Amino acid sequence: MTEPERGIARRLLANGIPTPSGPTRRQPVPVRASRSRRGPGRQFADHPAVVDALRKQAAIQHLVDTTGLPHPLYLSPEGPNGAVIRSGGRELVNYSSYNYLELAQHPRVIAAANAAAEQYGTSASATRIVTGEIPLYAQLERRLAGIYDTGDALVTASGFLTNAAVIGFLLAEGDVAVCDSLAHASLVAGTQWAGCRRVTFRHNDPEALAALLRASRHQFDRALVIIEGHYSMDGDLGPVAEIAEVARKYDCAVLVDEAHALGVLGPNGLGSREHFDIPGDLVDIWAGSLSKAMGSTGGFIAGDADLVRAIKYAAPGMALYTAGPSPSNVAAVLAGLDVLAAEPDRLTRLWSNARLFCDALRAHGLDLADSQSTPIVPVIVPGEVRAGYAAAAMLQRGYNAGAILSPVVPAGTERLRFFLTSEHTEHQLRATADHLADIRTIVEHIPDLAIGPESAAVRGLPTAPGFLA
């Protein structure tokens, strides 16, 4: 530990910082017969979520001011968001980009996006059912349906909204969403939109799913089992075939979220279906994002042609009541798929980097949780203070990786999360592992305290999710 870092650690422990208090979730407020007026522009000033968010931001800023560590939130890259970025006049080795194959800055992808804007303008400018059905949509949808071996596909303007809207349309009161315990927030949001019952089963455990369905399937009409192909917190893969087999036994549909799988998994980067070599109709709905490995923005579903046609016509937030993705975004994905096929070495480098980095971290004795040596690498740093400090200290040394704190992950499994790209170099990866091992020796001297009102030594640090969760 260097002398400046010892000083920072001492200040971190010694300084009292105003504590963010108040509920972490909105609590019901009793209706009173009379109350004071909040006044113009103040209707939400005392909203619990607004108050809590502002307190957390103030606490983070106080921490930065007290310790001299760089601010870990809202970095602003001055160029493409890839393996190396410039931000605030500094060059940083970057592990907080989903740009796995660095397609977002590929000349062929940029040229296609520019050409589409020249031909169709910068927006579809209407819902698809009105005048927004540009020919590029059908081209991409045919490609995606082919990738997932399905009858049809539908592209949308948002990956998060795709998950929320398709679940919200297909399920209702009396139905059940059976979710892997680590299912993404967008999937959970869809169950809330649907108004259905939501139950969870142990992560990646087909036997736990079977036990749950055996006990409760008879209570509901439709049931949808929801998993991910490549989980973004632990970097492990969902056992798609095994889960689908259990779901079929109990008359359940299956949705697989491919957000971090398309462009990453499979011999040709075509996602979980290719990786596991399974028929497309083993899964009812393949859903995914175009905002990650595909180097664009938006989402998609693929499935039975009649189901997709109905969703396109009638599901709010998919194609109904919302404009389609921009022509440039769709053209970028089409070009990205072409690059993926033409330059397979990008995928090879990505997975080579994943193996090298995981081996280097394990050689230092670092805890990678359930990592399967994929391009998403968690490094466990137990304790909210420790994980937050480690992320800020790495940033100070020129390495950007986000801290994930409870309750986003269970208490005691707080972590730094590294997203690798095909363009990280061996030197960058080994140096990152060395610095992280060094910082681990620093955080071991910091008490394992949770961030909250009861933690006097770190009073005022932000409550979860905090930092870069």
Side-chain angles (χ1 to χ4, degrees):
M1 186 189 308
T2 66
E3 188 56 41
E5 286 169 335
R6 286 193 184 94
I8 289 173
R10 283 195 293 269
R11 289 195 298 277
L12 177 66
L13 294 172
N15 278 274
I17 307 173
T19 303
S21 58
T24 57
R25 64 180 64 182
R26 186 174 183 182
Q27 303 294 328
V29 178
V31 177
R32 293 176 291 172
S34 62
R35 58 170 177 77
S36 58
R37 292 177 60 84
R38 293 186 173 94
R42 303 294 298 170
Q43 292 299 309
F44 300 102
D46 60 350
H47 189 292
V50 172
V51 172
D52 195 45
L54 294 176
R55 284 174 173 169
K56 290 175 184 178
Q57 293 176 56
I60 293 172
Q61 187 61 55
H62 197 125
L63 171 66
V64 168
D65 294 342
T66 300
T67 64
L69 290 170
H71 199 297
L73 295 179
Y74 301 113
L75 296 186
S76 181
E78 297 161 11
N81 190 10
V84 177
I85 59 173
R86 287 195 61 82
S87 180
R90 301 175 65 207
E91 187 172 274
L92 303 171
V93 179
N94 183 36
Y95 296 101
S96 291
S97 167
Y98 310 138
N99 193 10
Y100 295 105
L101 303 174
E102 304 228 358
L103 295 180
Q105 59 262 47
H106 194 286
R108 187 170 174 179
V109 174
I110 293 172
N114 289 339
E118 289 285 347
Q119 181 172 358
Y120 297 106
T122 59
S123 171
S125 300
T127 61
R128 294 177 66 166
I129 202 170
V130 181
T131 55
E133 186 76 1
I134 63 173
L136 289 173
Y137 293 164
Q139 294 177 36
L140 179 54
E141 287 164 353
R142 284 194 296 271
R143 295 280 291 273
L144 291 168
I147 287 170
Y148 286 100
D149 185 29
T150 61
D152 205 352
L154 176 67
V155 295
T156 69
S158 164
F160 187 105
L161 185 57
T162 294
N163 280 345
V166 74
I167 296 171
F169 177 68
L170 293 176
L171 299 182
E173 186 177 355
D175 300 333
V176 63
V178 187
C179 301
D180 185 286
S181 59
L182 296 187
H184 189 263
S186 59
L187 301 163
V188 174
T191 67
Q192 295 168 334
W193 187 339
C196 65
R197 176 79 176 275
R198 182 178 74 250
V199 296
T200 61
F201 62 95
R202 189 181 302 112
H203 176 56
N204 274 355
D205 189 338
E207 292 183 1
L209 172 62
L212 178 62
L213 292 175
R214 189 162 52 246
S216 62
R217 177 65 184 93
H218 65 281
Q219 301 175 27
F220 304 98
D221 183 6
R222 291 181 179 84
L224 178 64
V225 174
I226 299 172
I227 65 170
E228 298 182 30
H230 187 195
Y231 284 88
S232 62
M233 287 298 169
D234 289 305
D236 55 344
L237 307 185
V240 177
E242 293 86 347
I243 293 292
E245 182 181 358
V246 173
R248 292 288 184 257
K249 180 179 179 180
Y250 291 94
D251 191 31
C252 303
V254 180
L255 182 151
V256 178
D257 180 359
E258 289 283 278
H260 292 273
L262 180 61
V264 175
L265 301 185
N268 301 294
L270 300 182
S272 298
R273 193 196 72 80
E274 182 187 53
H275 178 83
F276 293 112
D277 190 23
I278 56 179
D281 62 3
L282 188 65
V283 169
D284 297 271
I285 303 165
W286 299 94
S289 170
L290 304 174
S291 310
K292 298 177 172 62
M294 288 296 97
S296 185
T297 297
F300 71 90
I301 61 165
D304 172 77
D306 286 342
L307 178 62
V308 171
R309 189 179 303 116
I311 290 170
K312 178 180 177 180
Y313 181 80
M318 298 291 285
L320 182 66
Y321 305 132
T322 185
S326 77
S328 293
N329 287 144
V330 177
V333 179
L334 286 164
L337 289 171
D338 291 339
V339 172
L340 183 61
E343 301 180 18
D345 56 306
R346 287 180 178 267
L347 193 64
T348 300
R349 292 199 305 273
L350 175 66
W351 281 91
S352 176
N353 283 345
R355 289 188 294 271
L356 187 154
F357 188 52
C358 289
D359 288 347
L361 293 169
R362 290 186 176 111
H364 282 294
L366 294 165
D367 181 0
L368 307 191
D370 294 326
S371 168
Q372 296 176 349
S373 297
T374 76
I376 301 173
V377 184
V379 177
I380 303 301
V381 184
E384 293 176 291
V385 175
R386 288 175 173 175
Y389 177 90
M394 285 292 287
L395 185 58
Q396 186 179 53
R397 296 188 184 200
Y399 300 88
N400 180 38
I404 310 297
L405 310 181
S406 63
V408 176
V409 293
T413 68
E414 292 84 1
R415 66 200 59 191
L416 270 59
R417 184 174 56 166
F418 296 80
F419 292 95
L420 306 185
T421 85
S422 57
E423 307 312 300
H424 281 113
T425 67
E426 179 177 348
H427 173 74
Q428 290 167 347
L429 297 171
R430 293 193 184 280
T432 301
D434 291 343
H435 280 288
L436 191 56
D438 188 38
I439 287 173
R440 177 188 59 179
T441 66
I442 299 171
V443 300
E444 287 173 349
H445 296 280
I446 298 175
D448 183 14
L449 298 170
I451 297 173
E454 71 285 354
S455 304
V458 289
R459 190 169 293 124
L461 289 175
T463 53
F467 290 101
L468 294 179

PDB file of all heavy atoms in Angstrom, residues 66-86:
ATOM      1  N   THR A  66     -13.801  14.092   0.325  1.00  0.00           N
ATOM      2  CA  THR A  66     -13.055  13.767   1.544  1.00  0.00           C
ATOM      3  C   THR A  66     -11.793  12.969   1.256  1.00  0.00           C
ATOM      4  O   THR A  66     -10.734  13.225   1.831  1.00  0.00           O
ATOM      5  CB  THR A  66     -13.959  12.968   2.509  1.00  0.00           C
ATOM      6  OG1 THR A  66     -15.090  13.766   2.845  1.00  0.00           O
ATOM      7  CG2 THR A  66     -13.211  12.591   3.772  1.00  0.00           C
ATOM      8  N   THR A  67     -11.896  11.989   0.350  1.00  0.00           N
ATOM      9  CA  THR A  67     -10.772  11.072   0.142  1.00  0.00           C
ATOM     10  C   THR A  67      -9.851  11.482  -0.986  1.00  0.00           C
ATOM     11  O   THR A  67      -8.708  11.027  -1.060  1.00  0.00           O
ATOM     12  CB  THR A  67     -11.298   9.663  -0.181  1.00  0.00           C
ATOM     13  OG1 THR A  67     -12.017   9.706  -1.419  1.00  0.00           O
ATOM     14  CG2 THR A  67     -12.196   9.146   0.930  1.00  0.00           C
ATOM     15  N   GLY A  68     -10.337  12.308  -1.894  1.00  0.00           N
ATOM     16  CA  GLY A  68      -9.545  12.641  -3.057  1.00  0.00           C
ATOM     17  C   GLY A  68      -9.611  11.603  -4.161  1.00  0.00           C
ATOM     18  O   GLY A  68      -8.954  11.743  -5.196  1.00  0.00           O
ATOM     19  N   LEU A  69     -10.403  10.548  -3.965  1.00  0.00           N
ATOM     20  CA  LEU A  69     -10.592   9.556  -5.018  1.00  0.00           C
ATOM     21  C   LEU A  69     -11.418  10.151  -6.157  1.00  0.00           C
ATOM     22  O   LEU A  69     -12.237  11.055  -5.933  1.00  0.00           O
ATOM     23  CB  LEU A  69     -11.299   8.323  -4.461  1.00  0.00           C
ATOM     24  CG  LEU A  69     -10.495   7.454  -3.492  1.00  0.00           C
ATOM     25  CD1 LEU A  69     -11.403   6.421  -2.841  1.00  0.00           C
ATOM     26  CD2 LEU A  69      -9.346   6.771  -4.209  1.00  0.00           C
ATOM     27  N   PRO A  70     -11.227   9.674  -7.383  1.00  0.00           N
ATOM     28  CA  PRO A  70     -12.024  10.193  -8.494  1.00  0.00           C
ATOM     29  C   PRO A  70     -13.487   9.770  -8.374  1.00  0.00           C
ATOM     30  O   PRO A  70     -13.803   8.726  -7.805  1.00  0.00           O
ATOM     31  CB  PRO A  70     -11.371   9.556  -9.728  1.00  0.00           C
ATOM     32  CG  PRO A  70     -10.672   8.355  -9.220  1.00  0.00           C
ATOM     33  CD  PRO A  70     -10.238   8.671  -7.822  1.00  0.00           C
ATOM     34  N   HIS A  71     -14.367  10.597  -8.915  1.00  0.00           N
ATOM     35  CA  HIS A  71     -15.793  10.295  -8.871  1.00  0.00           C
ATOM     36  C   HIS A  71     -16.090   9.125  -9.799  1.00  0.00           C
ATOM     37  O   HIS A  71     -15.750   9.153 -10.984  1.00  0.00           O
ATOM     38  CB  HIS A  71     -16.609  11.510  -9.304  1.00  0.00           C
ATOM     39  CG  HIS A  71     -18.038  11.464  -8.864  1.00  0.00           C
ATOM     40  ND1 HIS A  71     -18.912  10.501  -9.297  1.00  0.00           N
ATOM     41  CD2 HIS A  71     -18.747  12.262  -8.018  1.00  0.00           C
ATOM     42  CE1 HIS A  71     -20.104  10.698  -8.754  1.00  0.00           C
ATOM     43  NE2 HIS A  71     -20.024  11.759  -7.977  1.00  0.00           N
ATOM     44  N   PRO A  72     -16.724   8.042  -9.289  1.00  0.00           N
ATOM     45  CA  PRO A  72     -16.893   6.830 -10.091  1.00  0.00           C
ATOM     46  C   PRO A  72     -18.124   6.821 -10.989  1.00  0.00           C
ATOM     47  O   PRO A  72     -18.332   5.839 -11.704  1.00  0.00           O
ATOM     48  CB  PRO A  72     -17.009   5.743  -9.020  1.00  0.00           C
ATOM     49  CG  PRO A  72     -17.682   6.435  -7.881  1.00  0.00           C
ATOM     50  CD  PRO A  72     -17.173   7.850  -7.891  1.00  0.00           C
ATOM     51  N   LEU A  73     -18.960   7.844 -10.945  1.00  0.00           N
ATOM     52  CA  LEU A  73     -20.214   7.830 -11.699  1.00  0.00           C
ATOM     53  C   LEU A  73     -20.167   8.743 -12.912  1.00  0.00           C
ATOM     54  O   LEU A  73     -19.489   9.769 -12.910  1.00  0.00           O
ATOM     55  CB  LEU A  73     -21.376   8.260 -10.800  1.00  0.00           C
ATOM     56  CG  LEU A  73     -21.726   7.351  -9.626  1.00  0.00           C
ATOM     57  CD1 LEU A  73     -22.873   7.950  -8.840  1.00  0.00           C
ATOM     58  CD2 LEU A  73     -22.083   5.959 -10.103  1.00  0.00           C
ATOM     59  N   TYR A  74     -20.910   8.375 -13.925  1.00  0.00           N
ATOM     60  CA  TYR A  74     -21.172   9.201 -15.098  1.00  0.00           C
ATOM     61  C   TYR A  74     -19.895   9.662 -15.793  1.00  0.00           C
ATOM     62  O   TYR A  74     -19.756  10.838 -16.155  1.00  0.00           O
ATOM     63  CB  TYR A  74     -22.045  10.404 -14.715  1.00  0.00           C
ATOM     64  CG  TYR A  74     -23.372  10.013 -14.132  1.00  0.00           C
ATOM     65  CD1 TYR A  74     -23.672  10.272 -12.794  1.00  0.00           C
ATOM     66  CD2 TYR A  74     -24.324   9.363 -14.904  1.00  0.00           C
ATOM     67  CE1 TYR A  74     -24.882   9.887 -12.248  1.00  0.00           C
ATOM     68  CE2 TYR A  74     -25.539   8.974 -14.365  1.00  0.00           C
ATOM     69  CZ  TYR A  74     -25.808   9.240 -13.040  1.00  0.00           C
ATOM     70  OH  TYR A  74     -27.015   8.863 -12.505  1.00  0.00           O
ATOM     71  N   LEU A  75     -18.954   8.744 -15.986  1.00  0.00           N
ATOM     72  CA  LEU A  75     -17.801   9.079 -16.801  1.00  0.00           C
ATOM     73  C   LEU A  75     -18.278   9.419 -18.213  1.00  0.00           C
ATOM     74  O   LEU A  75     -19.243   8.838 -18.714  1.00  0.00           O
ATOM     75  CB  LEU A  75     -16.826   7.913 -16.858  1.00  0.00           C
ATOM     76  CG  LEU A  75     -16.175   7.487 -15.545  1.00  0.00           C
ATOM     77  CD1 LEU A  75     -15.124   6.416 -15.812  1.00  0.00           C
ATOM     78  CD2 LEU A  75     -15.544   8.657 -14.831  1.00  0.00           C
ATOM     79  N   SER A  76     -17.598  10.336 -18.858  1.00  0.00           N
ATOM     80  CA  SER A  76     -18.021  10.809 -20.175  1.00  0.00           C
ATOM     81  C   SER A  76     -16.909  10.564 -21.182  1.00  0.00           C
ATOM     82  O   SER A  76     -15.989  11.364 -21.319  1.00  0.00           O
ATOM     83  CB  SER A  76     -18.362  12.306 -20.111  1.00  0.00           C
ATOM     84  OG  SER A  76     -18.784  12.770 -21.371  1.00  0.00           O
ATOM     85  N   PRO A  77     -16.963   9.424 -21.903  1.00  0.00           N
ATOM     86  CA  PRO A  77     -15.922   9.160 -22.903  1.00  0.00           C
ATOM     87  C   PRO A  77     -15.904  10.233 -23.978  1.00  0.00           C
ATOM     88  O   PRO A  77     -16.949  10.719 -24.419  1.00  0.00           O
ATOM     89  CB  PRO A  77     -16.328   7.804 -23.485  1.00  0.00           C
ATOM     90  CG  PRO A  77     -17.221   7.186 -22.462  1.00  0.00           C
ATOM     91  CD  PRO A  77     -17.932   8.333 -21.816  1.00  0.00           C
ATOM     92  N   GLU A  78     -14.708  10.583 -24.394  1.00  0.00           N
ATOM     93  CA  GLU A  78     -14.549  11.608 -25.421  1.00  0.00           C
ATOM     94  C   GLU A  78     -14.484  11.003 -26.820  1.00  0.00           C
ATOM     95  O   GLU A  78     -14.230  11.712 -27.797  1.00  0.00           O
ATOM     96  CB  GLU A  78     -13.289  12.431 -25.112  1.00  0.00           C
ATOM     97  CG  GLU A  78     -13.395  13.179 -23.778  1.00  0.00           C
ATOM     98  CD  GLU A  78     -12.052  13.627 -23.218  1.00  0.00           C
ATOM     99  OE1 GLU A  78     -11.045  13.537 -23.966  1.00  0.00           O
ATOM    100  OE2 GLU A  78     -12.003  14.059 -22.058  1.00  0.00           O
ATOM    101  N   GLY A  79     -14.708   9.704 -26.919  1.00  0.00           N
ATOM    102  CA  GLY A  79     -14.722   8.998 -28.196  1.00  0.00           C
ATOM    103  C   GLY A  79     -15.514   7.721 -28.034  1.00  0.00           C
ATOM    104  O   GLY A  79     -16.324   7.597 -27.113  1.00  0.00           O
ATOM    105  N   PRO A  80     -15.291   6.733 -28.897  1.00  0.00           N
ATOM    106  CA  PRO A  80     -16.029   5.460 -28.786  1.00  0.00           C
ATOM    107  C   PRO A  80     -15.806   4.789 -27.437  1.00  0.00           C
ATOM    108  O   PRO A  80     -14.727   4.889 -26.847  1.00  0.00           O
ATOM    109  CB  PRO A  80     -15.441   4.616 -29.927  1.00  0.00           C
ATOM    110  CG  PRO A  80     -14.904   5.611 -30.898  1.00  0.00           C
ATOM    111  CD  PRO A  80     -14.411   6.753 -30.080  1.00  0.00           C
ATOM    112  N   ASN A  81     -16.838   4.090 -26.964  1.00  0.00           N
ATOM    113  CA  ASN A  81     -16.792   3.442 -25.659  1.00  0.00           C
ATOM    114  C   ASN A  81     -16.288   2.009 -25.838  1.00  0.00           C
ATOM    115  O   ASN A  81     -17.050   1.065 -25.926  1.00  0.00           O
ATOM    116  CB  ASN A  81     -18.189   3.450 -25.031  1.00  0.00           C
ATOM    117  CG  ASN A  81     -18.178   3.023 -23.582  1.00  0.00           C
ATOM    118  OD1 ASN A  81     -17.122   2.884 -22.963  1.00  0.00           O
ATOM    119  ND2 ASN A  81     -19.355   2.807 -23.022  1.00  0.00           N
ATOM    120  N   GLY A  82     -14.965   1.875 -25.885  1.00  0.00           N
ATOM    121  CA  GLY A  82     -14.362   0.576 -26.119  1.00  0.00           C
ATOM    122  C   GLY A  82     -13.379   0.189 -25.044  1.00  0.00           C
ATOM    123  O   GLY A  82     -13.524   0.567 -23.873  1.00  0.00           O
ATOM    124  N   ALA A  83     -12.349  -0.542 -25.429  1.00  0.00           N
ATOM    125  CA  ALA A  83     -11.375  -1.066 -24.465  1.00  0.00           C
ATOM    126  C   ALA A  83     -10.574   0.038 -23.797  1.00  0.00           C
ATOM    127  O   ALA A  83     -10.130  -0.105 -22.650  1.00  0.00           O
ATOM    128  CB  ALA A  83     -10.434  -2.045 -25.158  1.00  0.00           C
ATOM    129  N   VAL A  84     -10.370   1.140 -24.501  1.00  0.00           N
ATOM    130  CA  VAL A  84      -9.662   2.300 -23.952  1.00  0.00           C
ATOM    131  C   VAL A  84     -10.510   3.529 -24.244  1.00  0.00           C
ATOM    132  O   VAL A  84     -11.014   3.694 -25.356  1.00  0.00           O
ATOM    133  CB  VAL A  84      -8.260   2.458 -24.576  1.00  0.00           C
ATOM    134  CG1 VAL A  84      -7.577   3.718 -24.051  1.00  0.00           C
ATOM    135  CG2 VAL A  84      -7.398   1.235 -24.285  1.00  0.00           C
ATOM    136  N   ILE A  85     -10.699   4.346 -23.248  1.00  0.00           N
ATOM    137  CA  ILE A  85     -11.437   5.596 -23.435  1.00  0.00           C
ATOM    138  C   ILE A  85     -10.612   6.762 -22.890  1.00  0.00           C
ATOM    139  O   ILE A  85      -9.711   6.575 -22.061  1.00  0.00           O
ATOM    140  CB  ILE A  85     -12.812   5.574 -22.728  1.00  0.00           C
ATOM    141  CG1 ILE A  85     -12.653   5.339 -21.215  1.00  0.00           C
ATOM    142  CG2 ILE A  85     -13.724   4.526 -23.351  1.00  0.00           C
ATOM    143  CD1 ILE A  85     -13.955   5.464 -20.428  1.00  0.00           C
ATOM    144  N   ARG A  86     -10.943   7.942 -23.355  1.00  0.00           N
ATOM    145  CA  ARG A  86     -10.429   9.172 -22.752  1.00  0.00           C
ATOM    146  C   ARG A  86     -11.592   9.853 -22.049  1.00  0.00           C
ATOM    147  O   ARG A  86     -12.666  10.009 -22.617  1.00  0.00           O
ATOM    148  CB  ARG A  86      -9.816  10.110 -23.781  1.00  0.00           C
ATOM    149  CG  ARG A  86      -8.470   9.634 -24.318  1.00  0.00           C
ATOM    150  CD  ARG A  86      -7.741  10.758 -25.051  1.00  0.00           C
ATOM    151  NE  ARG A  86      -7.464  11.884 -24.163  1.00  0.00           N
ATOM    152  CZ  ARG A  86      -6.435  11.955 -23.313  1.00  0.00           C
ATOM    153  NH1 ARG A  86      -5.577  10.945 -23.232  1.00  0.00           N
ATOM    154  NH2 ARG A  86      -6.264  13.021 -22.557  1.00  0.00           N
TER     155      ARG A  86
END
